[in-house]
Amino acid sequence: SELYFEEIGERFEQDVSPYDLERRAALILSLLPDRSAEMSCLEVGCGFGGISRAIRPHVHQLTVSDISEVLCRRTGQELGVPYSRQDAT
């Protein structure tokens, strides 16, 4: 199914390795420019928001998007940021 992650729901978040998520977040944060606190950021493929939660404190404005309406809405509402269902293919 195109929306596989919606089908497996909460199990997807539980199955992601915290170590892997932490390493990916650290890499992304290391690549943010010095002026990131003044910048806007669009996260494409936010999923359940693991990376979004790491990015949010470091940027002025975060917008999250995902092919899954459920996931981007959940992440956007949790973080209090704009969200949009988009297909980035």
Side-chain angles (χ1 to χ4, degrees), residues 49-62:
I51 300 295
S52 310
R53 285 188 283 282
I55 294 171
R56 178 65 186 109
H58 300 278
V59 297
H60 175 69
Q61 176 69 48
L62 173 65

Side-chain angles (χ1 to χ4, degrees), residues 13-25:
E13 185 171 358
Q14 294 167 0
D15 289 345
V16 171
S17 161
Y19 174 79
D20 180 54
L21 182 59
E22 182 180 314
R23 298 293 297 160
R24 286 187 286 145

Side-chain angles (χ1 to χ4, degrees), residues 42 56 61-65 72 75-77 79-84:
L42 170 63
R56 178 65 186 109
Q61 176 69 48
L62 173 65
T63 300
V64 296
S65 67
C72 69
T75 298
Q77 290 176 345
L79 297 176
V81 301
Y83 60 90
S84 177

